[in-house]
Amino acid sequence: ATRTKSADVERADSGIGQMPARKWRNRASETLSSLQAWEAHRPCTDCGERDLPVETDVQNCNQRRADLCEKCRKRRTERKESVLEFVNTEASYGEDLRIIKEEFYLPMQAAGLLSQEQLLGIFSNIQELIDLNENFLEILQEEIDQAFDQGDDDLMTVCIGEIFLEFVNMLPAFQTYCLQQSSSVNMLNALEKEKELLRIFLNVSQNDNTALRRMNLRSFLMAPLQRVTKYPLLLSRIIKATTEYHPDHGSLREAKSRIESHLEHINMKTKQEGNTWTLRSFRQDSKKKREVINIEMRETALKTVGWLREETRFVMEGSLQLAQPPDGQWVKKGSKTLKFQNMQVLLLVNMKRVSESSLESAEPGPVKDAVLVLIRDKNNGKFHLLREPLRLSNCIVSTDPDCDDTFELIEIRREAFVFRDSDRARTHHWFRQIRRYSRELGSWKKRRNALPNIMISTPHTRP
């Protein structure tokens, strides 16, 4: 007790009393708050800027992903989507090349429809393009899988520019194919008129072979030309979402410059050979003919719905005729009384990924959402949305035996739409697919009970 008392006296004599101690504790508390505020407002690891609001809550600070600002988080997401788009479209292009070989070239060769010289004149160096695509795609997919395995969910370690420059030998192969395209099409047209068996084979393949998606041989032969003209656009999207400090930024710009220079060279060689056809005119024609769904329309749909690209599946896409009946009396009068307009329609399904280590899961996960995106195409090639996407969880879709060339989609308490395709079988296919995903979402029975369907109920006036 004596020691404690003397210690208290010493502490008082040394000048450290209650007031200074309280000031010291307040200063320590302020210092801790300052450190926490700095931690919440530390520079972004990507851009170095401090544009985040100051947060003193350490828990909120720790919730931020890798100390990124909002702008850089968005940029990383856009870059990941652009990289996946590059790889996925390369895979789709490779599938079209294999269809050319397995569904056209090999059957025509085996049946003796054309001589080897004629086959070479039509299909040019298609095997070289197939080999290059397989090697290129293998390296791309290995990079994607390795990034996911290492925990790089944003794919920041994937360097598309470097890989593209390693496969720059693809460009001469594209040049060979492009320069022969005009003569290849002319030869195919002449042989189709001359050989009846060839004409029958091509017609049967287009109509009965489901692998062809009702596309003809000429459409598939355009695939290499479409792919080579899309490379600059795809690379530009990745460059836009890649910070200049990224190690692949310089390679991306060089890759884009190389492909653009090569396209200019192909155009120059085409003019020198006296052909009026060029890659520039091809890009314009491809948008008008709609023989192949192009990247811009899918990009418009994805931006509209705001889904992640790797969780989105394009179930169907193509041109449909659309009408909006004013009341329920049109069924009695027939679809001839309706005014239809041509529309590009995309059926998108948002599905949970089963595995994060692969681009495409062998077993798709459950359906989270499904929408119909309606796009109007103007003459200048730009896409414009007709309205906001139709969410199938809020819609009823049905058909009527007396109007089997159309089907109707009614959005609960809002609008009604009547769709049809120029091909009746195609119309039925659209109906089955839309009805399937509509039934998988929400409470189907509740929607059926809440909304009488004019196709099967007595006529009534819509609100």
Side-chain angles (χ1 to χ4, degrees), residues 49-65:
E49 296 180 358
R50 297 173 178 264
D51 59 350
L52 289 174
V54 177
E55 296 180 355
T56 58
D57 188 352
V58 178
Q59 183 177 1
N60 292 337
C61 174
N62 293 333
Q63 289 177 354
R64 292 187 294 122
R65 188 183 69 185

Side-chain angles (χ1 to χ4, degrees), residues 413-426:
R413 295 185 297 273
R414 295 192 65 183
E415 299 176 274
F417 302 88
V418 177
F419 294 96
R420 72 180 182 186
D421 193 275
S422 56
D423 180 47
R424 184 167 300 184
R426 184 82 172 165

